[in-house]
Amino acid sequence: MINKTKLFSYVLLLTVGFVFSSQSLATNGDFQNTINQLTTKNLKTKLQVVEAIIDSANSKVEFVLQSLLEGKVYYIKNNKKVVLATKEKKEYLVKELLSGNSLGKFSKHQLKKVGINNRIRQKIKAGLSMLNLKHADETVRLQAVKNTYKDINAVIFKKIETLIQVEDSDKVRDAMLVLMNIYLLNDTDSSVRIKAINDLSGNLEPIVKNKLIKLKDNDQNSEVRIEAEKALKNINSEISFFKNLETVFFGISFGSVLILAAIGLAITFGVMGVINMAHGELIMLGAYTTYVVQLLMPNNIGMSIFAAIPAAFVVSGFVGIIIQTGIIRHLHGRPLETLLATFGVSLVLRQIVRTIFSPLNRAVETPDWMSGAIEINGVLSLTWNRLYIILFCLIVFAALITILKKTSLGLQVRAVSQDRNMARAMGVRSNWVDAMTFGLGSGIAGIAGVALSQLTNVGPNLGQAYIIDSFMVVVFGGVGNLWGTLIGGFGLGVINKFMEPWVGAVLAKVLILIFIILFIQKRPRGLFPQKGRSAGD
Amino acid sequence: MKICKSINSILLVVGLLASSAAFAGDHVIKVGVLHSLSGTMAISETTLKDTMLMLIAEQNKKGGVLGKQLKAVVVDPASNWPLFAEKARGLIEKDKVDVIFGSWTSVSRKSVLPVIEELNSVFFYPVQYEGEESSKNVFYTGAAPNQQAIPAVDYLMNDIGVERWVLAGTDYVYPRTTNKILKAYLKAKGVPSSEIMINYTPFGHSDWQTIVSDIKKFGSVGKKTAVVSTINGDANVPFYKELGNQGISASDIPVVAVSVGEEEISGLDTGPLVGHLAAWNYFMSADAVENDEFIAKWKDFIKDDKRVTNDPMEAHYIGFNMWVKAVEKAGTTEPNAVQDALIGVTTPNLTGGVSAMMPNHHITKPVLIGEIQADGQFEIVSSTDGLVAGDAWSDFLPGSKDLIADWRKPLSCGNYNVKTAKCSGQNY
């Protein structure tokens, strides 16, 4: 039975192979010869080989280019045959590039990778785009059209001219029109140029703008120059509008990071009045928890982030409770000692992490749904990870407000922070409430760590970068006021981002600090000071 | 009588001390290792400490140096710059080491310098740096700007056809000096100021949205644009991530980094980095027998098959072998003799060539440009034809154009002005 199936598949393979080879025997042989030239070390020759591959119009071109791009193309060192290889543990499974027939297993030393550089990569991508113009998927076609904006020439123009007739997607057709108009900007007939300019007016693609600038400066026809200038003015005003919009978005997203980092502190420092210098390290623990969770579920990176949120909350919250019951509780009412002790704790935590995970940064993978951007137009694109973090920040904030306002724990927390003795007299276990509050604040810091692991390095020093910012936001917003933290965080974020292009990132940071120092002089209690008895005067 | 006795006892003590010193000296040669094992710089320097221990163990297996075994004295300056000076003094005065290998940041080297010069020791510095220095006691096995940044710019200009330049760096001495040199170099090549954008960010900067958006805008005027990045360690991850997220790929605007190597990349998700470039004198992917051996030994020593090798490790490998050769040539570990013997010493590097110590205490190295691959390794896309000699004083800065360093007698000067024919004596 087994033998029969084997035999059958063998026969099938043979016939398929025969049909295939009889159809394109000559061309395939030539094609393999072309491909074998990829073994050259000279990158310029290699580029010519790639060009030859693209021009060969062989049915396997797309596959070859894609494999080259993915780095799967190798050659066997002793006979210089170009093959497809995939790594399997310590060995490589080698196949014929064109037929896909297996050639067996090879060791690393027998093979050499066909390396490509940026120029070749660009050529390959352009080649693939040309092939993708007829792809079945609409988004692939759209991207393919957009990729050819830069390399438009007479050949591509002809091709697009025929393709646009059969294109059924409006989006792709629009992009094709833009592409054709870009080409027509160089037409010899000035009326065609003017029409192209008018059709492109309001288009925000950088290449359109550059072409228009060239027309405005160099065109012989004065009418074309005037039209180009008009269109440019139009484009520029739109660009500046979208640039401002982008800056606001940057500011809000930076602000949401600040809020996430600070909101745990707003509870421990704001509500409980504990200066916790180890707050940054609790954030760091959250980020490391994300890393560990990803290690535990390597095949499910997308879900691991969701699993990491509760895990980070528990880990950081637990460490927070230990710090509170072990150290901070015994230093109640002695802020200076608390500051020093928690600073010591932060050093200890950092070194522990360094010992366990090594001082090297750990790679936390970004799930696919969090990378990339939504392109609104040629100027404005909003990155997904930032959008998610803004959303996440608002959810965490809403959850925290609900906990503090609607639950009995929240009621007890507020009671203890307002009047400890009275609360105790009413039967509130103030020690327990303190531990829970600190645990809550620490847990939130851990959640912030999950978010930060998507933006920055996961390393022992992660927390250091955020501790100052966190205190800044809490103090600016008003100690003890969560809404103040929210407004303060967004405010500082937006101010920072509007200043950055003017004065540079270094000075922007300095100016923000100066601003806060001056602000605190005027309003020592921050934006939204606590009123009444809880102000503690 | 009493005086006699006390003199006797003093003599006895001195004799004992001398003999104990001789005793120690007879059996071991002490090698100081001054790398941070805790604090910010531990991320990079711990590896170098391990590299030194491996090299020393290796040498001891071969029978040591001058028939004596080598003994490593490891101290931890904890990423604390003044502590570097203190620990260096301890190594030389207390532990009596004959040579020190150490430091990563320029500021830690500058902190160690006065101590090394005062106590006249031998110091090997393994990291690429901004140049503008040559000390009698320091041997620079890392790259000077003309061995890294300038060839990188040449590659971009000639092979990629870059016309617009973004010089992005972290705000401290190495990027500032390097960018000053690069700007002068670009101007000498006829690039106008309007085509150069310089940007500095604080240490550990993590919010790159605005800067990346600015780079995108700067690069969208239709001329090929590239970024020469002197961004330091940690800040690179969010930078590359943001580039990827805003849709800037290596084929649009390539980034050439001069401080991102295999070790730094091993902590990253390589997705957004593929195709970006780095300029170094060594890549783990270099095709050479010595390199394969070194990598195998390293993985064996560190007992981890996934660990990578990088450029500063190679620098220590070269520096250590040079020192061994020089000590054997001089027949002693006496600092002055070793310093003289070191000049002109040659030793194989890990990229298939032979590096030599130049009279200005810098070495000859090949310059390689690599493209980052998905597996965290570099594909070497360009290398200089021969080896490039390190230049202590840049030819492109007005203040140091006329300066040369030559520690051979009779000149023996790290700062000799060829125009005024004077040695200022200030070497840094």
Side-chain angles (χ1 to χ4, degrees):
Chain A
M1 184 65 202
I2 294 167
N3 268 340
K4 256 187 187 170
T5 25
K6 227 180 188 176
L7 197 74
F8 178 68
S9 61
Y10 189 60
V11 169
L12 198 72
L13 208 81
L14 250 175
T15 33
V16 169
F18 181 71
V19 170
F20 184 73
S21 56
S22 67
Q23 267 181 354
S24 51
L25 190 69
T27 48
N28 251 3
D30 287 349
F31 194 48
Q32 181 70 43
N33 280 343
T34 320
I35 286 172
N36 278 346
Q37 288 168 22
L38 283 173
T39 50
T40 175
K41 276 205 170 153
N42 186 323
L43 287 162
K44 281 188 182 145
T45 328
K46 212 183 265 183
L47 184 69
Q48 288 162 359
V49 177
V50 168
E51 278 169 0
I53 291 175
I54 292 171
D55 292 339
S56 72
N58 189 294
S59 59
K60 283 271 177 177
V61 168
E62 186 177 352
F63 177 72
V64 172
L65 293 182
Q66 200 63 45
S67 309
L68 258 177
L69 206 57
E70 286 165 10
K72 287 188 196 156
V73 180
Y74 288 72
Y75 66 86
I76 302 168
K77 272 185 189 166
N78 53 22
N79 65 3
K80 295 238 165 179
K81 186 178 172 68
V82 174
V83 292
L84 194 71
T86 38
K87 198 173 182 183
E88 198 141 283
K89 282 172 193 155
K90 295 217 160 169
E91 284 179 320
Y92 285 83
L93 263 173
V94 175
K95 285 182 188 165
E96 289 241 11
L97 189 56
L98 294 181
S99 64
N101 294 341
S102 175
L103 293 173
K105 285 183 175 173
F106 283 74
S107 79
K108 189 189 163 202
H109 295 286
Q110 291 169 294
L111 296 172
K112 179 120 180 83
K113 192 167 163 184
V114 176
I116 50 171
N117 66 355
N118 272 319
R119 229 178 217 196
I120 299 177
R121 201 172 285 125
Q122 210 169 349
K123 196 89 225 165
I124 292 175
K125 279 185 180 160
L128 280 174
S129 297
M130 288 304 293
L131 294 171
N132 282 340
L133 285 175
K134 291 177 193 163
H135 199 277
D137 188 352
E138 181 191 331
T139 47
V140 176
R141 279 204 307 275
L142 186 64
Q143 201 50 49
V145 175
K146 288 194 169 174
N147 284 347
T148 38
Y149 279 178
K150 263 184 252 164
D151 328 280
I152 178 85
N153 56 34
V155 181
I156 300 175
F157 183 78
K158 277 267 155 57
K159 200 166 177 184
I160 297 285
E161 230 176 5
T162 50
L163 280 175
I164 202 167
Q165 308 297 334
V166 291
E167 181 59 59
D168 47 12
S169 155
D170 287 341
K171 271 192 201 158
V172 181
R173 207 175 314 123
D174 285 348
M176 283 177 166
L177 276 175
V178 171
L179 183 60
M180 289 168 75
N181 278 321
I182 290 173
Y183 180 73
L184 290 176
L185 285 177
N186 293 340
D187 201 274
T188 42
D189 185 351
S190 64
S191 64
V192 175
R193 286 205 298 274
I194 289 172
K195 188 176 174 300
I197 290 172
N198 287 332
D199 286 348
L200 285 173
S201 179
N203 190 300
L204 295 177
E205 289 295 330
I207 177 137
V208 173
K209 189 182 163 192
N210 296 330
K211 290 248 174 188
L212 286 177
I213 290 175
K214 269 184 203 150
L215 283 184
K216 187 194 95 181
D217 294 341
N218 303 327
D219 204 274
Q220 293 104 343
N221 189 315
S222 65
E223 212 174 322
V224 175
R225 285 201 300 270
I226 291 165
E227 286 296 323
E229 198 173 354
K230 247 197 267 172
L232 263 178
K233 222 183 218 168
N234 195 353
I235 287 174
N236 279 337
S237 74
E238 270 199 51
I239 284 180
S240 72
F241 170 75
F242 282 111
K243 273 281 157 200
N244 281 333
L245 210 62
E246 189 186 38
T247 310
V248 171
F249 173 72
F250 287 166
I252 288 178
S253 88
F254 181 51
S256 65
V257 171
L258 288 178
I259 292 165
L260 270 175
I263 201 159
L265 198 75
I267 296 180
T268 53
F269 176 51
V271 178
M272 290 177 71
V274 173
I275 298 177
N276 179 16
M277 295 301 283
H279 178 75
E281 276 58 43
L282 294 168
I283 296 178
M284 172 196 75
L285 287 182
Y288 270 97
T289 311
T290 318
Y291 166 69
V292 172
V293 169
Q294 279 201 349
L295 280 191
L296 293 179
M297 40 199 299
N299 300 320
N300 219 338
I301 297 298
M303 291 308 292
S304 70
I305 298 291
F306 294 107
I309 293 171
F313 183 83
V314 170
V315 170
S316 292
F318 183 66
V319 173
I321 290 175
I322 293 177
I323 296 174
Q324 204 276 337
T325 50
I327 298 165
I328 296 173
R329 188 159 61 112
H330 305 293
L331 297 169
H332 185 76
R334 289 151 70 188
L336 194 61
E337 281 89 338
T338 317
L339 189 146
L340 287 175
T342 50
F343 183 67
V345 170
S346 83
L347 291 176
V348 171
L349 285 176
R350 248 180 282 157
Q351 199 59 40
I352 287 177
V353 166
R354 230 176 246 137
T355 316
I356 298 176
F357 292 98
S358 98
L360 295 175
N361 290 332
R362 301 284 101 179
V364 172
E365 280 181 58
T366 308
D368 287 337
W369 49 269
M370 272 188 87
S371 32
I374 339 173
E375 234 173 86
I376 311 270
N377 55 40
V379 182
L380 183 67
S381 55
L382 308 179
T383 48
W384 277 116
N385 64 347
R386 298 282 172 179
L387 280 174
Y388 280 115
I389 280 173
I390 294 172
L391 188 71
F392 185 62
C393 163
L394 293 176
I395 292 173
V396 170
F397 182 79
L400 206 57
I401 285 281
T402 322
I403 289 175
L404 284 183
K405 293 272 147 103
K406 303 277 185 208
T407 64
S408 71
L409 174 71
L411 185 68
Q412 293 181 4
V413 168
R414 280 181 290 143
V416 171
S417 74
Q418 280 168 15
D419 194 328
R420 177 173 294 268
N421 290 332
M422 188 56 84
R424 289 181 62 153
M426 303 294 281
V428 175
R429 285 147 63 205
S430 70
N431 278 342
W432 183 82
V433 169
D434 279 345
M436 283 303 117
T437 318
F438 202 85
L440 178 68
S442 307
I444 298 284
I447 289 184
V450 179
L452 287 179
S453 75
Q454 293 304 319
L455 291 181
T456 179
N457 296 286
V458 178
N461 297 316
L462 169 69
Q464 289 298 293
Y466 289 95
I467 184 77
I468 302 290
D469 288 345
S470 306
F471 272 106
M472 207 167 73
V473 170
V474 175
V475 171
F476 177 64
V479 175
N481 190 326
L482 283 186
W483 285 101
T485 306
L486 186 79
I487 306 291
F490 280 137
L492 288 181
V494 174
I495 297 174
N496 196 324
K497 287 295 148 185
F498 267 100
M499 278 199 316
E500 224 173 71
W502 296 102
V503 295
V506 182
L507 204 55
K509 218 166 182 178
V510 174
L511 288 177
I512 286 274
L513 279 171
I514 292 175
F515 164 72
I516 289 193
I517 291 170
L518 294 176
F519 181 83
I520 295 299
Q521 301 293 318
K522 280 276 165 217
R523 296 186 63 145
R525 295 193 168 275
L527 271 181
F528 302 99
Q530 282 192 320
K531 294 188 183 80
R533 198 175 296 169
S534 57
D537 289 317
Chain B
M1 191 60 194
K2 215 177 183 183
I3 295 171
C4 223
K5 209 176 176 183
S6 58
I7 287 177
N8 260 344
S9 58
I10 288 171
L11 276 178
L12 196 75
V13 170
V14 169
L16 265 176
L17 274 177
S19 68
S20 72
F23 182 74
D26 273 339
H27 287 81
V28 293
I29 295 174
K30 286 184 177 175
V31 178
V33 180
L34 184 68
H35 283 301
S36 302
L37 310 179
S38 55
T40 340
M41 292 313 295
I43 177 174
S44 312
E45 291 192 66
T46 315
T47 314
L48 291 185
K49 183 261 302 176
D50 291 331
T51 309
M52 282 314 298
L53 293 183
M54 176 180 88
L55 291 170
I56 289 168
E58 200 70 25
Q59 191 63 34
N60 281 338
K61 260 188 236 159
K62 285 188 229 160
V65 182
L66 298 178
K68 299 175 195 174
Q69 290 283 296
L70 299 178
K71 184 170 177 282
V73 183
V74 178
V75 290
D76 176 18
S79 311
N80 176 342
W81 320 137
L83 200 58
F84 269 87
E86 224 171 275
K87 292 280 179 187
R89 188 175 287 278
L91 279 174
I92 302 167
E93 285 186 336
K94 212 170 97 242
D95 297 312
K96 309 264 181 241
V97 298
D98 294 300
V99 59
I100 301 177
F101 291 82
S103 281
W104 182 288
T105 58
S106 282
V107 49
S108 67
R109 186 190 67 253
K110 298 265 186 208
S111 156
V112 168
L113 246 166
V115 177
I116 303 280
E117 293 200 335
E118 179 200 327
L119 303 174
N120 191 24
S121 188
V122 180
F123 186 77
F124 281 85
Y125 176 68
V127 182
Q128 104 276 23
Y129 83 121
E130 67 278 5
E132 306 305 292
E133 184 181 300
S134 179
S135 161
K136 175 174 181 283
N137 303 81
V138 182
F139 293 85
Y140 308 84
T141 50
N146 76 314
Q147 289 175 304
Q148 198 186 16
I150 287 182
V153 166
D154 282 338
Y155 170 76
L156 289 173
M157 199 180 270
N158 303 330
D159 288 36
I160 309 275
V162 172
E163 294 172 79
R164 271 165 93 79
W165 303 83
V166 180
L167 309 180
T170 304
D171 200 6
Y172 74 108
V173 57
Y174 169 66
R176 284 217 177 241
T177 317
T178 308
N179 285 347
K180 214 191 275 170
I181 294 171
L182 287 182
K183 195 174 176 190
Y185 181 72
L186 286 172
K187 282 197 166 163
K189 290 268 174 181
V191 179
S193 290
S194 59
E195 309 270 287
I196 304 172
M197 166 179 158
I198 298 185
N199 185 291
Y200 292 106
T201 39
F203 266 100
H205 191 67
S206 62
D207 197 280
W208 288 92
Q209 303 176 85
T210 319
I211 291 158
V212 167
S213 163
D214 282 352
I215 291 175
K216 196 174 172 185
K217 198 173 145 200
F218 188 77
S220 68
V221 299
K223 287 182 179 168
K224 187 73 188 171
T225 307
V227 181
V228 181
S229 150
T230 37
I231 296 164
N232 188 279
D234 271 12
N236 278 299
V237 184
F239 175 59
Y240 284 111
K241 268 194 184 170
E242 191 65 39
L243 281 175
N245 280 336
Q246 293 203 20
I248 302 176
S249 75
S251 30
D252 304 327
I253 302 179
V255 178
V256 183
V258 293
S259 20
V260 176
E262 289 87 348
E263 183 105 1
E264 286 77 18
I265 289 181
S266 71
L268 313 187
D269 179 8
T270 44
L273 283 88
V274 173
H276 287 300
L277 304 147
W280 287 105
N281 308 111
Y282 165 82
F283 285 113
M284 190 176 176
S285 59
D287 202 9
V289 185
E290 290 90 351
N291 187 30
D292 291 345
E293 278 172 14
F294 182 75
I295 294 170
K297 274 182 203 158
W298 169 246
K299 287 185 171 171
D300 192 43
F301 178 82
I302 209 81
K303 294 188 182 61
D304 182 352
D305 203 35
K306 284 192 184 137
R307 283 296 287 272
V308 292
T309 57
N310 65 9
D311 182 271
M313 285 171 72
E314 191 221 14
H316 260 344
Y317 171 87
I318 297 172
F320 180 76
N321 287 338
M322 282 182 166
W323 175 77
V324 169
K325 272 199 178 173
V327 169
E328 273 166 356
K329 193 165 116 191
T332 168
T333 56
E334 202 277 318
N336 286 325
V338 174
Q339 284 157 17
D340 287 341
L342 263 166
I343 294 173
V345 161
T346 58
T347 177
N349 56 34
L350 294 178
T351 45
V354 176
S355 286
M357 179 60 75
M358 305 306 285
N360 63 0
H361 286 188
H362 290 63
I363 66 172
T364 57
K365 308 178 114 185
V367 185
L368 312 172
I369 312 282
E371 263 183 27
I372 301 173
Q373 306 291 305
D375 59 358
Q377 288 294 319
F378 289 84
E379 176 81 33
I380 297 170
V381 291
S382 157
S383 58
T384 45
D385 294 331
L387 301 189
V388 181
D391 196 1
W393 303 97
S394 173
D395 298 339
F396 300 98
L397 289 183
S400 50
K401 218 164 37 192
D402 304 324
L403 298 178
I404 58 159
D406 190 339
W407 288 103
R408 288 172 302 189
K409 286 175 184 102
L411 198 57
S412 282
C413 175
N415 185 352
Y416 183 79
N417 192 319
V418 284
K419 283 244 174 85
T420 58
K422 266 185 198 149
C423 181
S424 84
Q426 164 96 34
N427 300 324
Y428 51 90

